[in-house]
Amino acid sequence: MSTLVILGTQWGDEGKGKIVDLLTSRADVVVRFQGGANAGHTLKVAGEQIIVHLIPSGILYPGITNIIANGVVMDPAVILEEKNELRSRGHFLQDSQLLISEKAQVIMPYHKLIDLGREELLGSSKIGTTGRGIGPAYEDKAARIGIRAGDLLRPDWLRKRIAAALDEKNFLIEKRFNKPPLKLDQVVDEYLNFGAQLSSHITETTSLIYSKISSGSNVLFEGAQGTLLDIDHGTYPFVTSSNVVAGNACCGSGVGPSSIEKVWGVVKAYTTRVGQGGFPTELDNELGEELRSKGYEYGATTGRPRRCGWLDMVVVNHSVRLNGLTGIALTKMDVLTGISPIRIATSYELDGKITDRIPSNIEDLGRVIPHYREVKGWSEPLDECRSFDDLPKNARDFVETVEHLSGTPVTLVSIGPGREQSILRKPPF
Ligand code: GDP
Ligand code: IMO
Ligand code: MG
């Protein structure tokens, strides 16, 4: 058995796509287990940049099976768009490279309308969602009125399921959001058409993952978002609508907990966040702007500028505990070149008390004062380094400080967006 979960430890955009792409060279199967097209995972290979939202980041390797598992809320239009784009660029040439669980929930047009409509009504207290219909789709899953990928292949059943959901949705769309109602025939036709185009991909995936793990294949689970966006353990209500923690690799793909061997958290060497919500180490100043421009911190899904701040070990250690991390992939070290001293938050002060925990209430989180440790920066560019010893001493010290403060080995250091700009210190398989 050789399984590895890769997930985000902060508020997303830590560089998960790059790490998954890199490690896919050692894997047989890559599985997306939660989230939807709210994710934007950037792959950079031989100077070419590709952003995937739903198709797993293993797609650039022809012989690998990529699975969109049952825990994902998948937008068929986005998958088809990504497939076309990848094909036109010479990738994803075999349909067999992508399997979609027949149990994956489907994003419907009303999910997007409701997502956007709610945000508009919330005004200044909006969540800042990606508008991809994620929350409303997970709500329907729990309400048992969701449409699943397998339904797209059964015309009569699909019509029944959409008709049942649409009654209530149109009430909301018309009465709450003042928009014209959706027409049943139109929605059914559109989604049957999606089904026809995706039929070669939609299948039962749980038993396949089971047999791959049983036969000793290397299976990589690709998380989306970040632990602080987890619906239970994140900065609620400014979170996404799924569990993003490692435990959900099991529920979201149908494998038992004892099948998960390693869990690597991707940690950006500083912190970013898109959308609203607390961010104790945020730098709303020139330094924050410098991180944004050097790190090119703009949303891969929405293009929104990302808020930037110092590395926060209270956040990272929250993730270490919740995910049972066995390794850290430390990314974007190169962006810190030229910044000295570098600050790392190690605890918070709340109402005069020192704590190393994230407060559960968002108002408390807004009041914490981060306490920092300062470490010396370095001026040498890192992007050409290919081994740990190539890194300047202060950069090596920074890595070791992260290890010390998290109690977790830094198994991989990333010093640029390219596949080759990576120092793999301990291969997972
Ligand atoms: P994800 O959502 O976690 O996959 O991350 P995103 O793709 O949304 O954002 C990460 C951004 O940082 C992308 O533009 C990557 O190409 C880029 N990136 C990843 N690792 C590194 C790194 O080590 N250095 C630099 N400079 N950029 C990186
Ligand atoms: P990747 O996988 C960063 C954020 C949104 C918003 C909140 C809720 O690329 O790291 P949603 O549309 O999910 O209901 O939005 O979550 N968010 C992300 N932020 N990276 C992501 O994914 C995100 N996916 C959702 O900005 O604050
Ligand atoms: Mg992203």
Side-chain angles (χ1 to χ4, degrees):
M1 181 175 86
S2 250
T3 53
L4 168 68
V5 181
I6 302 275
L7 50 76
T9 58
Q10 295 153 317
W11 279 280
D13 304 325
E14 298 89 351
K16 298 174 292 293
K18 173 194 160 156
I19 305 300
V20 171
D21 166 74
L22 175 77
L23 296 177
T24 300
S25 64
R26 298 162 179 269
D28 302 293
V29 181
V30 180
V31 185
R32 261 289 298 270
F33 57 90
Q34 48 71 230
N38 48 351
H41 295 179
T42 312
L43 323 176
K44 197 158 183 197
V45 182
E48 185 189 19
Q49 177 173 286
I50 289 170
I51 297 174
V52 282
H53 301 283
L54 270 168
I55 293 181
S57 299
I59 198 66
L60 300 185
Y61 298 79
I64 302 297
T65 307
N66 291 272
I67 297 178
I68 294 177
N70 57 278
V72 172
V73 286
M74 71 95 174
D75 187 333
V78 173
I79 296 189
L80 289 166
E81 214 174 281
E82 283 183 10
K83 182 176 170 180
N84 284 340
E85 167 79 10
L86 282 159
R87 270 212 178 154
S88 72
R89 294 167 75 170
H91 305 290
F92 188 5
L93 300 179
Q94 304 294 325
D95 274 2
S96 57
Q97 283 174 260
L98 178 70
L99 302 178
I100 301 170
S101 166
E102 56 194 6
K103 295 183 200 154
Q105 295 284 321
V106 179
I107 298 275
M108 303 299 289
Y110 40 84
H111 294 142
K112 285 185 257 189
L113 278 170
I114 294 169
D115 190 0
L116 293 168
R118 273 194 194 140
E119 285 282 277
E120 203 180 311
L121 288 181
L122 280 169
S124 62
S125 45
K126 69 180 179 185
I127 303 293
T129 73
T130 59
R132 300 298 191 266
I134 307 299
Y138 277 117
E139 285 169 31
D140 280 5
K141 176 181 180 174
R144 292 154 295 188
I145 54 168
I147 309 297
R148 308 205 293 183
D151 300 345
L152 303 180
L153 308 179
R154 297 165 177 258
D156 295 341
W157 173 249
L158 180 68
R159 171 171 281 273
K160 263 192 235 161
R161 294 290 297 167
I162 296 181
L166 208 52
D167 248 8
E168 200 178 274
K169 301 302 170 190
N170 273 339
F171 180 81
L172 263 181
I173 290 167
E174 284 188 274
K175 303 275 191 272
R176 176 92 176 129
F177 303 121
N178 289 318
K179 295 259 164 25
L182 295 171
K183 295 195 177 71
L184 176 65
D185 285 344
Q186 227 171 328
V187 180
V188 172
D189 286 351
E190 189 186 9
Y191 277 71
L192 279 176
N193 185 23
F194 286 144
Q197 293 182 72
L198 291 172
S199 61
S200 61
H201 303 290
I202 299 173
T203 184
E204 206 289 308
T205 57
T206 310
S207 53
L208 176 80
I209 299 173
Y210 183 81
S211 66
K212 289 285 184 186
I213 293 176
S214 305
S215 64
S217 295
N218 294 338
V219 180
L220 218 167
F221 294 89
E222 175 181 10
Q225 290 78 57
T227 301
L228 276 288
L229 289 171
D230 183 280
I231 182 91
D232 284 292
H233 305 288
T235 45
Y236 193 87
F238 296 96
V239 294
T240 191
S241 297
S242 64
N243 284 113
V244 318
V245 291
N248 199 31
C250 295
C251 305
S253 61
V255 310
S258 55
S259 292
I260 302 297
E261 199 184 1
K262 295 182 179 124
V263 184
W264 284 11
V266 185
V267 175
K268 196 181 277 192
Y270 48 96
T271 311
T272 60
R273 171 161 208 177
V274 257
Q276 273 53 40
F279 182 175
T281 63
E282 182 167 13
L283 290 163
D284 196 7
N285 57 20
E286 262 175 38
L287 191 52
E289 185 51 50
E290 184 181 340
L291 288 170
R292 186 175 306 117
S293 65
K294 280 169 75 181
Y296 196 68
E297 296 295 354
Y298 294 90
T301 297
T302 57
R304 291 176 289 179
R306 294 174 181 152
R307 300 156 64 193
C308 296
W310 293 118
L311 177 61
D312 184 343
M313 292 309 289
V314 180
V315 162
V316 173
N317 285 336
H318 183 67
S319 293
V320 168
R321 292 188 294 269
L322 284 162
N323 296 298
L325 294 189
T326 61
I328 283 177
L330 185 60
T331 60
K332 305 198 89 158
M333 286 272 296
D334 53 302
V335 176
L336 293 182
T337 290
I339 297 175
S340 193
I342 296 168
R343 299 178 101 190
I344 302 175
T346 51
S347 61
Y348 295 158
E349 185 183 326
L350 179 61
D351 299 332
K353 291 199 185 95
I354 303 294
T355 176
D356 61 357
R357 302 288 146 137
I358 306 268
S360 304
N361 184 284
I362 189 77
E363 286 179 345
D364 287 348
L365 184 70
R367 289 186 301 118
V368 302
I369 302 161
H371 283 210
Y372 291 100
R373 171 183 289 206
E374 282 192 353
V375 296
K376 283 190 198 135
W378 55 90
S379 53
E380 303 88 335
L382 307 185
D383 49 321
E384 301 288 329
C385 296
R386 292 295 174 267
S387 76
F388 191 65
D389 293 337
D390 289 347
L391 293 172
K393 177 169 185 315
N394 289 350
R396 291 200 305 272
D397 286 351
F398 181 86
V399 174
E400 280 161 10
T401 302
V402 170
E403 287 188 319
H404 172 71
L405 292 174
S406 65
T408 308
V410 172
T411 41
L412 198 159
V413 179
S414 173
I415 31 82
R419 207 184 255 173
E420 68 292 351
Q421 293 170 311
S422 316
I423 300 168
L424 184 56
R425 301 177 75 199
K426 195 169 188 309
F429 24 64

